[in-house]
Each structure stands twice: as structure tokens, then as C-alpha cells.
Amino acid sequence: MRILLVGEYSNLHNSLKSGLIQAGHQVTLISTGDAFKKFPADVKFSAKRIEGSSLLRFLRKVIFKIFRVDIAFLEIGYRCLDWLVDQKNYDVIQLINEYPLKTPYFFEKRIFKRLRSLTSKMIVLACGDDYIYLKNIDKLPHHPILQHPGIGFPFSDKYLTQKHKVYHDFVFQQKDLIISSDLDYHSVYNGIKDYYGLIPNPVDLSNFYLKPKKETSRIVIFHGINHTNYYKKGNDYFDAALAIIQQKYQDKIEVISVTSIPYAEYIQSYNEADIVLDQTYALDQGYNALEAMAQGKVVFTGAGALFCKTYHLKPNSVAIHTIPNAEKIAADLEKLILNPNRIQEIGQAARLFIEKHHDYKVVANNYMEAWKTIKAKLDESSASAEAQNTDTKPCKPIESL
């Protein structure tokens, strides 16, 4: 098949692309690189002209400060449409999110229209913030917006505006299928029209190896921070917990902390880590957590009761379930520091879990099976329409023929 993957937030689409290529398909990935993360893509759209001019960069800052509009995305939208003009049909087009490129809505609508005209199978992933996810936030009591009513979350709030609602409706009226990437979205989307279900995130296991047992006794704890999502991911609780632990066990631990660095650097920066602090508000693991687990690291992330029930696991057996409570995080860290053999046990179990449920080749096949249901749905729809258009005069009973 000829497949187009649109957008990248976490390395999900890059890993899926690898699995699809292994299965013999032709795959193209287009994206913006997702700002500072700089995820790889076959075609990457950037605001080259604006970024290359000191005057335009200055105007960009001024316009954003006054109108909260980033003109760089105008250029990105133009470049994407220009690229799409010459594109031929694809068997499947999949969007990482209902709003994958973050261009102004009039641009994003034109991009979607062009994409829709190029395929008979249009899939939207429930991944990242979107209208339905945030509109049903009452089903997600762990969500940071509910936990921190006094803190603004402008990037999330945008998805609940009337402008975005109009755009969301436009996309969802034309999409063929929705697939969720983890339990956080599945709990919200279950029962929604055209919802296929949950397909676990793909992890390219060829890029990650089980961390060998080290000789040094010092335990390395890694804390990666996305400045924009500092409160959304619960980094404030991790910082508070680390302050407690560093005061008690300074001689037993080493803390590595990085902020808003490109994806490739991020992966390298936690190579030596034994423990990775991922997030405090989740039912399931984020993508960074999965890749760390593939390397046999102990990850503090979403791994609570629903996760354990879904995958038939004992609590904290493959990852440490983390809630927004600095004292509890510190207590869980202390248990591992005082029982380093437990780090090895959980790390090995984490690797096996990723191999069993997140292997990129297996997951790619699961996506292909999901895409096949669109054809079945279309065939069923066509048959129904044909039946309605047939002559409805009474037929002879079958036994009299």
C-alpha cells in the first residue's frame, strides 16, 4: 500500500512507519518536527523564510505578543499545501491528531480537504489534546486541568474554543476511523461513532536494548522537562520529590535534569539512567516512558488499576504508578534506592512488557487490520444503498420458484 502519515508528536508515527516498511509498504511521513523536539520526517515543513529573517522574526514575536497568533504557521501551511498539489492518491492517510500541523484553521481545513481528496481511507488518531478528550474531562479525574484550576493551560484550552469546535466537526464529519493510542483516550472515546478501539503505541525495538547491569552503586535518576508542559506533566511534583530524596540520599544517587531539548538529545541524555520520571497525570504510559521501559529502566508514569487490569499485571511490576503527590513519589523512590535489586527486576519486566505489547512490527499489523475495516464498512454501506435503490415489488416465495 501507499501510505501517508501526517504529523508527529512523540515518535509514534516514525515507529509505525518502520513497522509498515518492514511489512513491504511504501510510507511517507510529513510533519513540522513538533517545535524544539525536531522529530525526523520524510518531508518537514518549517517557516524557513520567517526564521531566516531578523525582521520577520521580530514581527513574529510582536504579532504573537499582541494577537497570540504565530505567523510562522502561515508559512508552514502554505508550504504544506504547495507540496500537496503534486501528490497522487494514497491508499491510507492517517493524522496523528485531528489538528496535526497546528496551522491557522482556514489553512488546516484546506490541507485536510486536499488530503481527503487523495484517499478513500482517512484515519484520525486520538493522541494529544483534542476536542472530545478535553470535552469529557470529567471522565479523567486525574487530569491536571482539574487538579490545578488556578493554573492556565492555554494550549489545551484552545481545543475547547468555538473556533476549534467548528474545525473539529468539519474533520469528524469526513473521517473514516478513529484509533486511540492509550487508555487515557480509550476511556473517553469508547462508544464514539467510527471509533475502532485502542491499539498500543508501536516501539521500534531495534533502536533500544536492555540496559546492562552496571557496576557502580550510585543510582541515576533522570527528570526530563518540557517547559511548556511543566505543570501538565507534573514536573513540579517530581522536582519537590527530588528535593526530599537528594537531602536524604545525596551519596547514593545522581540526578540528571534536562529541559526542552530535541528528541535525539533527549534519548541520549538518559542513557545512564536507572530511573526515569515521566508524568504524574495518566492512566497509561506516554511515549517517552515506553521507550525508556524498552531499555529496562524503571519509569514513574501512569500504571494504575485500569492499566494493570487491562494487561493482567501486578501493581508496580513493569512501571511505578505515579500520582500528583510529592511525598508518595519520594517514598517510592526511597524504596528503590534502598532495594536496588528491585530496579533490575522491574526493568527486565518492563522490557518484556514492551516486547509483548508494543513491538512495532506487530502493532503495524494491528493498524493494517484496523484500516481494512474501513473497506468492509464502505462495502456494507454500498450494499445497503444498492438494496434501497432496487425494485421493491413483491417477490415470489422462494419455495414456489
Side-chain angles (χ1 to χ4, degrees), residues 163-305:
K163 281 186 177 181
H164 187 82
K165 172 64 164 57
V166 171
Y167 169 77
H168 160 83
D169 290 343
F170 169 79
V171 170
F172 267 56
Q173 285 165 7
Q174 300 181 65
K175 56 90 182 78
D176 296 307
L177 201 69
I178 311 161
I179 299 171
S180 66
S181 59
D182 62 44
L183 289 171
D184 292 85
Y185 302 97
H186 179 68
S187 61
V188 168
Y189 271 87
N190 205 12
I192 296 288
K193 182 178 180 291
D194 296 326
Y195 178 58
Y196 174 80
L198 165 64
I199 298 180
N201 283 306
V203 176
D204 188 344
L205 295 167
S206 65
N207 292 331
F208 303 101
Y209 301 95
L210 188 64
K211 185 178 182 292
K213 188 174 182 179
K214 64 180 185 179
E215 297 178 2
T216 59
S217 59
R218 191 177 286 263
I219 294 169
V220 180
I221 304 171
F222 177 83
H223 184 203
I225 299 170
N226 178 339
H227 180 72
T228 304
N229 289 335
Y230 182 77
Y231 292 103
K232 189 175 177 181
K233 295 294 185 181
N235 295 120
D236 51 329
Y237 291 102
F238 285 136
D239 277 337
L242 286 172
I244 295 171
I245 288 298
Q246 285 178 300
Q247 189 173 18
K248 293 180 69 174
Y249 299 105
Q250 185 62 50
D251 60 328
K252 293 181 178 292
I253 65 170
E254 176 187 347
V255 175
I256 300 173
S257 183
V258 300
T259 302
S260 298
I261 61 175
Y263 170 74
E265 290 181 34
Y266 178 88
I267 292 294
Q268 289 297 318
S269 63
Y270 71 60
N271 265 347
E272 299 305 314
D274 301 292
I275 298 169
V276 173
L277 306 180
D278 179 54
Q279 58 182 319
T280 67
Y281 302 106
L283 299 175
D284 206 340
Q285 293 88 60
Y287 203 87
N288 288 340
L290 295 175
E291 292 188 332
M293 290 165 68
Q295 298 172 67
K297 301 179 189 303
V298 177
V299 183
F300 279 57
T301 186

Side-chain angles (χ1 to χ4, degrees), residues 242-381:
L242 286 172
I244 295 171
I245 288 298
Q246 285 178 300
Q247 189 173 18
K248 293 180 69 174
Y249 299 105
Q250 185 62 50
D251 60 328
K252 293 181 178 292
I253 65 170
E254 176 187 347
V255 175
I256 300 173
S257 183
V258 300
T259 302
S260 298
I261 61 175
Y263 170 74
E265 290 181 34
Y266 178 88
I267 292 294
Q268 289 297 318
S269 63
Y270 71 60
N271 265 347
E272 299 305 314
D274 301 292
I275 298 169
V276 173
L277 306 180
D278 179 54
Q279 58 182 319
T280 67
Y281 302 106
L283 299 175
D284 206 340
Q285 293 88 60
Y287 203 87
N288 288 340
L290 295 175
E291 292 188 332
M293 290 165 68
Q295 298 172 67
K297 301 179 189 303
V298 177
V299 183
F300 279 57
T301 186
L306 179 60
F307 168 76
C308 292
K309 181 180 178 181
T310 301
Y311 292 102
H312 310 290
L313 297 166
K314 293 180 180 179
N316 295 338
S317 58
V318 299
I320 304 300
H321 181 51
T322 310
I323 62 174
N325 182 313
E327 288 73 21
K328 184 179 186 306
I329 295 169
D332 286 337
L333 283 170
E334 184 173 34
K335 290 176 186 176
L336 294 173
I337 292 167
L338 297 176
N339 298 277
N341 288 338
R342 185 71 182 132
I343 295 175
Q344 192 78 8
E345 291 171 7
I346 296 174
Q348 290 175 347
R351 172 69 188 197
L352 291 174
F353 173 79
I354 300 299
E355 290 176 356
K356 183 175 181 180
H357 297 286
H358 294 275
D359 185 294
Y360 71 121
K361 295 178 185 178
V362 175
V363 172
N365 285 326
N366 292 340
Y367 268 92
M368 289 184 282
E369 289 301 314
W371 298 339
K372 287 178 184 177
T373 65
I374 297 173
K375 184 180 187 304
K377 184 173 67 172
L378 292 174
D379 289 346
E380 184 179 310
S381 177

Side-chain angles (χ1 to χ4, degrees), residues 63 138 336 350:
I63 292 171
D138 58 304
L336 294 173

Side-chain angles (χ1 to χ4, degrees), residues 49-67:
R49 187 170 183 183
I50 291 174
E51 292 169 356
S53 165
S54 56
L55 175 60
L56 290 176
R57 287 200 304 272
F58 173 75
L59 288 174
R60 177 187 181 186
K61 291 178 182 178
V62 171
I63 292 171
F64 185 79
K65 187 173 183 179
I66 297 173
F67 300 104

